[in-house]
Amino acid sequence: MADLLFGDPRRGHPVALFGRGAAAFERLTYADTRGAGMIHIAALLGALGVAGIFSERAVGRAGQPALMAAATFVTLGGTSLARTGEQMAAHLGQGDVEAARRLLPSLCGRDPSVLDADGLARAALESVAENTSDAQVAPLLWGAVGGVPAILVYRGANTLDAMIGHKSPRYARFGWAAARFDDAANVVAARVAAVLVIVCAPVAGGSPLGAWRAWRRDAARHPSPNAGVVESAFAGALGVRLGGPTQYAHELEIRPTLGDGPAPTINDLKRAVRLSRAVQVAAAVVAMGLSAACRSGRRASPRS
């Protein structure tokens, strides 16, 4: 509810503070090897896990609900994602391509200077789809099953993947472990998100059957084992075609196409935001049910 009402804090966001700390730590740990990258993420994520465990013990059972609420609030990014998607659609609707290009880095790491209005709409829609899982579904699920330590470690892993988990010359080896860990952490969440896209597709005037077909047919074509699942489900639900040439700062990727329809328009981006918001609400309901089931299971288990 706090994320829905307030979105991300504009200043002093704990995730941004973690990112700055990770960048400073990288100056000590960096080497152009996979081993150095493993040490880097193990130290940072281990610190987050330990901090979460000690925080839960410090506040005691009575304080844990408030602690969990605070940790969930600072790790979710769904509301800010939706607001940014809406701002992108507004800029494109007004024909202000330059403003849309300035906004795009808030959504993804693509090179906005080479994108026209259609390319910006596609990039924004794909980012809204992928980050619906990464910024909302996954942290809710990890928090439900693992409490504060799990949700902090997940957000840290996702942040490190965004910072170093790409194929630039500097990070191709050093960032390998961050990318692989983030992939593993999102395997279940991405598929839960795709199921929720199918369920929520009618909210955006979309097709549940189309989402299912595109997911089953196209997801494996994508280079990411998780992004392809959610993006193909969004493409099928909205009846659009995603993928194709994708320019990043360090390289041009030729992505496979996802979905059967035409290239997305500004209106499709607006529909994607509506679908994302619906999936976010549904994920919260799923997480609450999962959390209740986990608590019930712990109460029913015999004490050692």
Side-chain angles (χ1 to χ4, degrees), residues 177-255:
R180 297 291 78 77
F181 190 94
D182 184 72
D183 284 344
N186 281 288
V187 166
V188 174
R191 284 142 186 88
V192 171
V195 171
L196 296 179
V197 168
I198 294 171
V199 173
C200 297
V203 173
S207 166
L209 182 59
W212 167 256
R213 286 175 174 171
W215 172 16
R216 304 310 300 168
R217 185 193 63 209
D218 298 338
R221 301 176 185 174
H222 198 282
S224 167
N226 300 318
V229 171
V230 189
E231 289 181 21
S232 61
F234 263 77
L238 300 173
V240 299
R241 183 183 70 254
L242 302 178
T246 304
Q247 180 67 58
Y248 292 94
H250 55 278
E251 67 176 345
L252 173 66
E253 292 186 10
I254 306 300
R255 296 279 181 87

Side-chain angles (χ1 to χ4, degrees), residues 25 48 100 105 108 145 155 197 201 235 249 297:
F25 187 57
L48 287 176
C108 61
V145 300
R155 178 49 67 202
V197 168

Side-chain angles (χ1 to χ4, degrees), residues 59-145:
V59 300
R61 185 178 296 275
Q64 285 186 11
L67 177 66
M68 187 63 204
T72 304
F73 170 52
V74 300
T75 54
L76 294 183
T79 295
S80 293
L81 171 69
R83 289 174 179 173
T84 305
E86 289 170 343
Q87 290 172 2
M88 178 67 75
H91 289 323
L92 293 174
Q94 295 164 1
D96 195 344
V97 174
E98 288 305 316
R101 286 173 175 161
R102 290 192 297 270
L103 183 61
L104 187 66
S106 300
L107 287 170
C108 61
R110 300 182 194 183
D111 182 359
S113 65
V114 301
L115 297 177
D116 58 11
D118 291 338
L120 290 164
R122 187 200 118 197
L125 197 157
E126 290 174 352
S127 182
V128 166
E130 179 180 3
N131 285 296
T132 297
S133 177
D134 288 0
Q136 194 81 3
V137 178
L140 284 170
L141 295 182
W142 277 112
V145 300

